[in-house]
Amino acid sequence: MSVFKSNLKLNIKKVVQYRAAAISGVLTQLFFGFMYIALYTAFLKSGKSGFTLREMVSYVWLGQIFFVAFNYFDICKQEISRKIMNGDLAYELIRPINLYDNWFQIVYSKPLGHLLVRGVPVIIISLLLPCGLGLMLPPSIENFVLFLISTAISSLLVASISMIAYTITLYTLSSSGVFSFMVAIGTLFAGAIVPIPMMPKAVQTVLNFFPFRYVSDLPYRLYIGNINGTDAIFQIGVQIAWTIGLIIIGKLIMGRKLKKLVVQGG
Amino acid sequence: MLYGKYLKIQLKSAMEYRTTLIFEIITSMLYTVASFFGIYLLFQEFKTVGGYTFSDVLITYSIVCAAHSISDCFFRGFDQFDKLVSTGELDRLLIRPRSIFLQVLGYKTELTRIGRMSFCIAVLIVALILAPIEWTLMKVLVVMLMFFGASLIYLGLTLVYSGLCIFTVEGLEVMNVFISGGRELAQYPLDIYHKFFKTVFTFVIPFGLVNYLPLRFLLGYTTNIFYAFVPLFTIVFFMICYLFFRWSITKYKSTGS
């Protein structure tokens, strides 16, 4: 637990130090938010859909707020990928902590620092925007609570997905290939390239069988009230199942690889 | 000539690790393919947007995509201009008796982006076949102008980015927002958007000049020949960017090594 806390503190410090980068980060999210709203408004105007304009706007803003947190790129390049590639992995293995647990806590805490620095200003600004253009308030307390629960699980789920990628990197030694693939598949299947409610129904059904949707799409739709009641409880259950499943698989694969590990470098 | 030699050297060094090269070519394509698939899915669901169909949008998408990947591939030296400044490498380049522009151009060529470029050009060709265009020699010229103009816009933007590197390290991120944000935006014909985006991205960063204006001529919505030549105005934009770049170089005070 204290590994997590100290990592979190370190990461927040690092991000705040680069204040200008933080400001431009916020500007980036804002620009893309307005841009996607403009684009999807054009689409929603030309076709009927089960997804209202108000819902879409809030979906887009939530996507921008959690952009760094719910992503699939090589977020721990320094701490993990570099070490695999140049052999510092050996130092990690000497530590008296399970490698999977160690890395998991790093991967889990890294986005949180960014979220606090980039996400919070975007939350405030998008809540304050004039009607129709801004983030709406959840339609009920129940929605908001479900959203909070789901988001908490999402942060674990996205870490477990990244961990699978890092475990694969132990085999491939180069992280760029694995993560290029992850980012392409992950962002498409999670509704970051196109919001899932705006995809054809058949495609949506297929995407239910992948974990990515449950990272971002589920909490956003809980927030805006697009998913409710027993369906919501069921989907959160699926979310938890994926998280536990991926952690178990990740640990198994890693354990097997570490038995026959060849460390790079001298 | 000199540029040709630069290119050859980079090609040779990349070919040393042939498998890695092929692998990287494929991976650089992945995100582009995913975003293409995203657009495909949107049109499966919504059929049209702002009066444009999938094949119409594919034209603007592939032009922007191809121009961006060419820029990514050949103009990489300017992308990395901030490193040139901070390491003092720029001094070495300035001392040489050749144009600084040429040297930075030849500095780094990211050949792996060829995968992405080929994909975008393939999509462009398919788009042009599928679209209901009544082809004339003029219209072929228009497509080439659109492509040429889009590449000029990207080169211009990267020149501005490089010029800014000389003055500030922090303002750069904002530049990136316009470059990648503009690209996302310009994948679609700009007249589907709110007037604000349309105006800014036609008159300030002139994506519109290679986007909906000539597109309307291509698709036959207008027969006014003026719209066919609109991409040529990107030359004005490019000149402004280039002059800014030259001016920045004169203001350059070395950070030392």
Side-chain angles (χ1 to χ4, degrees):
Chain A
M1 248 306 111
S2 53
V3 174
F4 163 71
K5 266 200 205 135
S6 57
N7 265 306
L8 185 59
K9 274 207 199 121
L10 257 171
N11 285 319
I12 295 180
K13 260 206 200 136
K14 255 191 235 175
V15 181
V16 169
Q17 260 167 12
Y18 294 89
R19 201 187 35 177
I23 293 179
S24 46
V26 173
L27 283 174
T28 312
Q29 313 302 154
L30 287 175
F31 182 85
F32 275 90
F34 286 122
M35 201 204 83
Y36 283 126
I37 290 175
L39 176 63
Y40 298 137
T41 307
F43 268 103
L44 287 175
K45 248 193 271 183
S46 49
K48 36 83 209 150
S49 170
F51 202 39
T52 69
L53 214 59
R54 276 220 89 196
E55 288 180 323
M56 179 273 287
V57 170
S58 294
Y59 190 101
V60 167
W61 283 122
L62 286 168
Q64 293 306 307
I65 291 166
F66 288 99
F67 180 72
V68 182
F70 294 158
N71 215 316
Y72 307 94
F73 55 90
D74 191 354
I75 199 168
C76 291
K77 202 177 175 99
Q78 298 289 357
E79 297 89 336
I80 301 182
S81 299
R82 286 264 156 83
K83 293 194 179 159
I84 296 177
M85 287 197 266
N86 66 19
D88 285 348
L89 177 61
Y91 294 119
E92 298 296 313
L93 290 169
I94 291 176
R95 289 179 214 243
I97 177 174
N98 180 293
L99 187 67
Y100 186 95
D101 296 338
N102 183 16
W103 280 358
F104 189 91
Q105 297 192 54
I106 299 175
V107 172
Y108 178 73
S109 61
K110 193 111 197 257
L112 296 187
H114 287 278
L115 183 62
L116 284 169
V117 178
R118 259 192 185 191
V120 169
V122 180
I123 295 177
I124 298 173
I125 294 175
S126 63
L127 280 171
L128 293 175
L129 283 172
C131 246
L133 211 56
L135 181 64
M136 68 200 244
L137 292 171
S140 75
I141 297 280
E142 184 196 331
N143 285 102
F144 188 61
V145 169
L146 286 173
F147 162 74
L148 288 177
I149 296 174
S150 185
T151 307
I153 303 171
S154 286
S155 56
L156 290 166
L157 179 57
V158 72
S160 69
I161 296 175
S162 293
M163 282 304 294
I164 300 273
Y166 283 117
T167 308
I168 297 177
T169 309
L170 281 175
Y171 286 91
T172 65
L173 293 176
S174 161
S175 64
S176 61
V178 182
F179 281 98
S180 297
F181 188 73
M182 263 307 212
V183 170
I185 300 276
T187 48
L188 182 63
F189 286 24
I193 295 184
V194 176
I196 295 197
M198 287 175 77
M199 292 189 186
K201 286 287 184 293
V203 176
Q204 290 191 40
T205 319
V206 170
L207 292 184
N208 284 332
F209 291 96
F210 291 88
F212 305 102
R213 217 214 97 214
Y214 298 96
V215 173
S216 46
D217 183 65
L218 177 60
Y220 302 165
R221 285 162 80 174
L222 287 170
Y223 181 97
I224 62 183
N226 192 277
I227 298 178
N228 294 294
T230 42
D231 192 27
I233 308 283
F234 174 70
Q235 293 203 30
I236 292 183
V238 176
Q239 200 187 16
I240 296 175
W242 268 114
T243 310
I244 298 177
L246 286 176
I247 291 179
I248 293 177
I249 294 176
K251 284 200 176 209
L252 279 175
I253 300 180
M254 186 177 273
R256 177 174 280 194
K257 178 59 182 171
L258 287 180
K259 290 209 180 88
K260 330 189 227 169
L261 190 63
V262 175
V263 178
Q264 293 298 296
Chain B
M1 242 332 352
L2 185 61
Y3 183 64
K5 291 211 171 118
Y6 273 134
L7 217 48
K8 232 201 235 173
I9 294 174
Q10 307 218 24
L11 188 62
K12 270 200 187 150
S13 80
M15 290 294 266
E16 285 295 314
Y17 294 92
R18 189 126 2 136
T19 343
T20 317
L21 186 67
I22 296 177
F23 188 65
E24 286 183 359
I25 290 179
I26 295 177
T27 46
S28 76
M29 269 174 64
L30 288 173
Y31 189 78
T32 311
V33 175
S35 75
F36 166 78
F37 206 65
I39 300 184
Y40 172 73
L41 288 177
L42 273 173
F43 276 97
Q44 284 292 94
E45 181 71 1
F46 289 93
K47 308 299 181 226
T48 66
V49 71
Y52 293 104
T53 63
F54 184 47
S55 52
D56 302 337
V57 170
L58 272 192
I59 298 175
T60 49
Y61 169 81
S62 53
I63 294 254
V64 165
C65 179
H68 174 79
S69 52
I70 286 212
S71 158
D72 230 9
C73 176
F74 292 107
F75 309 147
R76 197 82 171 106
F78 293 97
D79 251 358
Q80 308 211 318
F81 206 76
D82 53 342
K83 294 207 185 78
L84 287 178
V85 172
S86 59
T87 59
E89 180 79 8
L90 185 59
D91 297 7
R92 277 182 55 202
L93 298 183
L94 282 169
I95 291 176
R96 295 180 187 163
R98 286 282 187 271
S99 137
I100 181 70
F101 179 79
L102 189 62
Q103 290 197 63
V104 182
L105 196 65
Y107 189 77
K108 185 98 175 83
T109 306
E110 197 75 58
L111 290 159
T112 55
R113 304 282 197 249
I114 283 197
R116 200 188 290 175
M117 211 164 71
S118 327
F119 177 75
C120 295
I121 293 182
V123 174
L124 177 61
I125 295 174
V126 170
L128 293 173
I129 295 175
L130 287 177
I133 298 179
E134 289 167 23
W135 286 102
T136 65
L137 207 59
M138 175 97 265
K139 291 197 175 171
V140 175
L141 182 65
V142 172
V143 175
M144 297 201 295
L145 282 179
M146 282 168 82
F147 185 67
F148 173 70
S151 308
L152 269 188
I153 294 176
Y154 272 108
L155 186 52
L157 286 173
T158 21
L159 282 175
V160 172
Y161 176 83
S162 306
L164 283 176
C165 286
I166 292 180
F167 299 108
T168 164
V169 175
E170 324 218 296
L172 293 177
E173 284 291 322
V174 188
M175 210 34 214
N176 262 316
V177 178
F178 283 114
I179 296 182
S180 39
R183 184 191 73 235
E184 291 286 326
L185 210 64
Q187 285 176 350
Y188 294 84
L190 294 184
D191 50 354
I192 67 173
Y193 298 114
H194 190 266
K195 221 163 74 145
F196 171 76
F197 285 109
K198 193 168 84 162
T199 327
V200 170
F201 285 96
T202 305
F203 293 105
V204 178
I205 304 178
F207 279 110
L209 298 179
V210 298
N211 178 279
Y212 69 106
L213 288 172
L215 181 71
R216 293 188 75 78
F217 178 83
L218 266 185
L219 295 173
Y221 289 135
T222 168
T223 48
N224 188 340
I225 211 115
F226 171 73
Y227 290 107
F229 289 104
V230 146
L232 288 173
F233 285 110
T234 55
I235 296 180
V236 176
F237 174 77
F238 174 73
M239 289 314 304
I240 298 175
C241 297
Y242 182 72
L243 287 172
F244 174 74
F245 176 71
R246 300 287 314 190
W247 177 77
S248 308
I249 297 273
T250 63
K251 291 289 176 208
Y252 176 62
K253 289 197 190 87
S254 173
T255 55
S257 47

